[in-house]
Amino acid sequence: MSNGIFKDHFSTQSTSYGRFRPEYPEELFGYLAGLGGRELVWDCACGSGQASRGLARYFSKVVATDGSAEQIANAHGPDNVTFAVALADKCPLEDRIADLVTVAQALHWFDLEAFYREVRRVVRPGGYIAVWSYAVTSVTPEIDDAIEELYNGIIGPYWPPERIHVEEGYKRLAFPFRTVAAPDIAMTVLWDFEQLMGYFGSWSAVARYKQDKGHDPLPLVRDRLLSAWGDPAKVREVSWPLMLRVGQVG
């Protein structure tokens, strides 16, 4: 959502988003649970529920919202997670009830002034907000070079301009809360080759390339990636640095 208009970049690949987006590390949720109260967290722009499921292991209740009905339709989590279609500035929660608000990989889409107003309404005094992003994945230098060809070369023009904020960890976006020091946390998964390709297929720029060109860009780099990967059944460690910003709401 930007300037009051919801930009839905993920509905066309919501199924692959739910299947192939990596799960966040346990270290992240343990840290967030240690900030304060653990009764209720609002996971805003939850997508298919990657962060919601992790939060559910530490908080009594998670209210997970997203502006995309397709994303919510593909979301899943345990019984203490409630999923709902809602824009970032129209949370269904009552006033001053949440211990924490989280935004995973989505802050760059928001009307920040309206969202932060809603955060202050929903969060109890002394509660927290945590936002994070992750940019390009890393595997090995040779594989990373092939990923770079895809990311900045083939589909580079199809990334929305807001993508720069993801790559910068939201450092240039307004964050009008008392800053809390956050740890360095890496997100890692063990994937085979097809899982990596499935992840690339969930990228919004891939969907826009398909719409514009009429064909999938992934085959253009598949052979190079596979040559660098080796046996497609081989499992490799795939990693992303998480860039985390945490603030205390007044």
Side-chain angles (χ1 to χ4, degrees), residues 125-140:
Y128 295 86
I129 176 173
V131 303
W132 63 88
S133 70
Y134 60 92
V136 185
T137 188
S138 179
V139 188
T140 69

Side-chain angles (χ1 to χ4, degrees), residues 190-195 228-237:
L190 295 175
W191 276 351
D192 63 23
F193 181 73
E194 293 304 332
Q195 286 173 299
W229 188 278
D231 180 357
K234 180 181 178 64
V235 172
R236 293 183 178 273
E237 183 176 274

Side-chain angles (χ1 to χ4, degrees), residues 80-99:
N80 62 329
V81 180
T82 300
F83 290 101
V85 178
L87 298 181
D89 61 349
K90 301 202 182 307
C91 178
L93 288 172
E94 299 174 0
D95 294 356
R96 302 195 170 202
I97 195 172
D99 298 299

Side-chain angles (χ1 to χ4, degrees), residues 9-189:
H9 293 274
F10 299 99
S11 288
T12 58
Q13 70 270 36
S14 58
T15 300
S16 62
Y17 192 101
R19 286 185 60 197
F20 294 111
R21 285 295 167 122
E23 298 289 335
Y24 295 109
E26 205 69 24
E27 181 184 358
L28 170 65
F29 302 114
Y31 164 75
L32 295 175
L35 288 171
R38 295 169 63 169
E39 289 300 311
L40 175 63
V41 54
W42 171 27
D43 184 25
C44 182
C46 65
S48 53
Q50 277 81 3
S52 312
R53 292 187 290 275
L55 291 163
R57 294 192 288 272
Y58 291 88
F59 289 82
S60 298
K61 184 176 181 181
V62 179
V63 173
T65 65
D66 198 282
S68 167
E70 287 81 2
Q71 286 280 35
I72 293 297
N74 283 283
H76 63 92
D79 290 344
N80 62 329
V81 180
T82 300
F83 290 101
V85 178
L87 298 181
D89 61 349
K90 301 202 182 307
C91 178
L93 288 172
E94 299 174 0
D95 294 356
R96 302 195 170 202
I97 195 172
D99 298 299
L100 172 69
V101 175
T102 57
V103 183
Q105 196 77 349
L107 189 70
H108 51 297
W109 302 127
F110 295 175
D111 175 336
L112 291 181
E113 183 177 351
F115 170 62
Y116 290 149
R117 187 165 54 245
E118 193 72 341
V119 168
R120 292 189 179 94
R121 181 188 70 77
V122 167
V123 174
R124 63 170 179 78
Y128 295 86
I129 176 173
V131 303
W132 63 88
S133 70
Y134 60 92
V136 185
T137 188
S138 179
V139 188
T140 69
E142 189 178 4
I143 295 171
D144 293 353
D145 285 345
I147 294 172
E148 173 70 13
E149 178 187 350
L150 173 65
Y151 183 88
N152 278 322
I154 296 170
I155 64 172
Y158 293 91
W159 289 111
E162 294 93 339
R163 180 71 184 178
I164 187 63
H165 296 300
V166 173
E167 296 171 348
E168 294 178 343
Y170 299 141
K171 289 180 180 178
R172 284 194 286 169
L173 292 185
F175 196 68
F177 306 99
R178 186 177 69 81
T179 300
V180 176
D184 293 327
I185 299 174
M187 179 168 64
T188 61
V189 296

